[in-house]
Amino acid sequence: MPLTLTSTAFATGGATPRQFTCDDADRSPALAWANVPAGAKSLALVVDDPDAPDPKAPKMTYVHWVLYDIPTSATGLPEGAGPAPLGARDGTNDWKRTGYGGPCPPIGRHRYFFKLYALDTQLGDRGAMTKPALEAAMAGHVLEQAELMGTYDRGL
């Protein structure tokens, strides 16, 4: 069985509820995963938006959350997971801060990808890594990956 990632907040490809965005509480949605592969020593999570700033003319992928060294004993994250939940380590998002930053698109409907990685190692304390630094640290260590995508349009 492959690694899976789900949320009770939205279905794959569905709209992200407002409470998980900058237009409301900006809380992280609850996430659940299953089938972590044997041999996994830690998990990492990246949430990003490849449609920034405009889905009709994207120029960059905007990073909303970086989290690593999540224990493999964990089966998910609760809604509103705070700094370094479950003893994990926070990375730096594109707002130049740690923790979750919800959808906040300036125009149009954007896609938000929640990517969970099962790693054959613990990365250890490497500080508040950015997504590129995390990807470099994970290179050669990814056993499996699962993905969940939600959308959001502020209606501006």
Side-chain angles (χ1 to χ4, degrees), residues 72-130:
T72 57
S73 58
T75 58
L77 294 170
E79 180 179 319
L86 308 172
R89 300 178 196 279
D90 279 314
T92 301
N93 60 34
D94 280 348
W95 281 286
K96 309 293 186 230
R97 64 180 191 241
T98 59
Y100 175 81
C104 198
I107 185 172
R109 180 166 297 279
H110 288 229
R111 298 169 298 153
Y112 298 87
F113 289 87
F114 291 71
K115 302 170 195 169
L116 182 69
Y117 302 90
L119 308 178
D120 67 2
T121 189
Q122 286 192 332
L123 298 176
D125 189 356
R126 297 175 186 228
M129 288 192 286
T130 61

Side-chain angles (χ1 to χ4, degrees), residues 2-105:
L3 180 64
T4 60
L5 178 61
T6 59
S7 178
T8 54
F10 58 91
T12 298
T16 302
R18 187 178 175 91
Q19 72 208 53
F20 304 112
T21 74
C22 70
D23 293 318
D24 199 308
D26 207 17
R27 295 171 52 86
S28 61
L31 299 172
W33 50 81
N35 306 317
V36 173
K41 302 275 193 278
S42 70
L43 302 168
L45 178 72
V46 172
V47 180
D48 60 24
D49 166 11
D51 299 325
D54 180 349
K56 292 180 182 169
K59 292 185 175 51
M60 66 177 291
T61 297
Y62 199 86
V63 179
H64 289 260
W65 201 8
V66 176
L67 194 60
Y68 69 100
D69 275 355
I70 303 167
T72 57
S73 58
T75 58
L77 294 170
E79 180 179 319
L86 308 172
R89 300 178 196 279
D90 279 314
T92 301
N93 60 34
D94 280 348
W95 281 286
K96 309 293 186 230
R97 64 180 191 241
T98 59
Y100 175 81
C104 198

